Amino acid sequence: MTQQGVRWTAEQVLALAPDAASRKAGSKLGAAGPWSEAGCSDEGTVWGLCKGSGSKPYQTVVDIADAAGPAYKCSCPSRKFPCKHALGLLLLWAADAAAVPPGQAPEWAGQWTAGRRRRTQEKKAGDGSGAPPGPADPEAARRRAERRAERVTAGAVELEQRLADLLRGGLAAAEQSGYGLWEETAARMVDAQAQGLAGRVRELGAIPSTGPGWPVRLLEECALLHLLGQGWLRRERLPDGLAATVRSRMGLPASADGPPLRDRWLVLAQYDTTDPRLTTRRIWLHGAASHRTVLLLSYGAAGRAPEPALPVGLSLEAEVSAYPGAGQPRVALGEQFAPPAPTAIRPPGTTTMRAAARYGDALRDDPWLESVPVTLDRVVPSPDGDSWQLADADEDGALPLTPAARSRPGLWRLVALSGGAPVKVFGECGHQGFTPLTAWPEGPGDAVALC
């Protein structure tokens, strides 16, 4: 059992899966058949031996008491975290108390858990408050920042010229020149250390020839890119909050400098996005006392899952500190006072009309904002021609689902959960519509991850 004496649900376990294949493979191992000598401790350790293709079973152990999310160890060769054996063990633990009874951890599991917790304590003791160390030479750090700002400025000036050339020649030229032009421009922005500009340029390259209206979409995105470049070139004239937002959008690093906020944080959603170089993990949290919705961002090299991993529907008592920027929801996770645990907390909801208005208000602080976190109360998923929407059950209003949401299996989980009745849905509301990430039934019931 966990320290709180409550086991997780299968949905909370599967929310930890690094991809759909792991989710499917882990589900197949969530039965007692392949497992032996499985058990759990009151300290938050779950262990077991899983029969594989070799002569020796795989030794699998999970530390679910870690305040930053569960940690895993398995003797299998998989590079995924958690692997399918860890997922299967947690599914078995969640569903069948008799198959994973309380007991004394075997030596191999106990040694790993004790060593890991000892290293965690040593790390905390070594860095005092847990804050990252400051630069060894502040003056050298200042000079490096100035040199990078100069390179970014040169990149912004060059990009302005390229945008002017594009508009002078007409948008049709973008379709004829193909993606290579954009990739070459993005590479120039990388050389200028303006990663934010490089990412937005690559997105421009994917717009031409993508269906009716693509020139309008391209012009809109060019205008936003021009606005960002001009914001950087005139950053000294901007209000502090907006200037910080521009620096963040340009891709310049920043440290969380807001005062620590302690709360019991409900894990609203967790999902990963990947490209050939990087995996980005987004975790949305809602404070039970502060009523703030905040975002944890973490990164992992290609092929490696970022940390932490926090199952949807659990809560943790912790401190967070905000990053600079007007309306910036991103925070850094600070000291955690208890491991994630089941909770009955649900976020308060709003209507679809107010959700759209909230996004419009947020654009004043950050014109490049793609979406805002919103919880919709009492909405019903319903078809809308060839698309889908979330319609208010008590008002005449609705939000269309984004194209990405319509192609995910989570849509059908949402439809099945609703069954035509109102549900509470958390997700991201932006200019393309609403992307549902988590849902709760109208009555008692656990959170259902949709991503």
Side-chain angles (χ1 to χ4, degrees), residues 211-235:
W214 72 260
V216 174
R217 296 194 300 275
L218 180 60
L219 183 60
E220 290 173 346
E221 292 301 321
C222 285
L224 286 173
L225 193 53
H226 167 70
L227 182 64
L228 181 57
Q230 289 296 314
W232 171 261
L233 296 174
R234 293 168 169 78
R235 61 192 181 280

Side-chain angles (χ1 to χ4, degrees), residues 226-385:
H226 167 70
L227 182 64
L228 181 57
Q230 289 296 314
W232 171 261
L233 296 174
R234 293 168 169 78
R235 61 192 181 280
E236 302 299 334
R237 308 180 196 176
L238 300 179
D240 291 344
L242 183 56
T245 298
V246 168
R247 286 193 292 270
S248 174
R249 292 296 182 184
M250 294 292 286
L252 272 69
S255 300
D257 58 3
L261 173 63
R262 180 171 177 172
D263 206 336
R264 177 156 289 280
W265 299 98
L266 168 66
V267 183
L268 290 174
Q270 172 182 297
Y271 67 96
D272 295 348
T273 56
T274 60
D275 62 34
R277 297 173 296 275
L278 194 69
T279 297
T280 302
R281 172 163 293 168
R282 291 171 172 83
I283 300 178
W284 287 105
L285 305 174
H286 174 76
S290 64
H291 301 296
R292 286 187 57 187
T293 300
V294 298
L295 174 66
L296 295 178
L297 273 179
S298 56
Y299 304 92
R304 299 195 63 179
E307 293 183 346
L310 299 175
V312 173
L314 300 188
S315 69
L316 69 157
E317 187 173 355
E319 289 180 342
V320 300
S321 298
Y323 279 82
Q328 171 67 262
R330 186 187 175 188
V331 298
L333 185 63
E335 183 176 359
Q336 298 114 63
F337 303 96
T343 180
I345 298 173
R346 291 187 181 186
T350 189
T351 65
T352 59
M353 297 296 289
R354 289 174 182 166
R358 185 178 301 177
Y359 175 59
D361 291 341
L363 288 175
R364 290 200 299 264
D365 292 329
D366 185 352
W368 307 276
L369 188 65
E370 293 186 359
S371 62
V372 293
V374 172
T375 300
L376 300 176
D377 210 7
R378 290 183 53 77
V379 290
V380 180
S382 57
D384 179 28

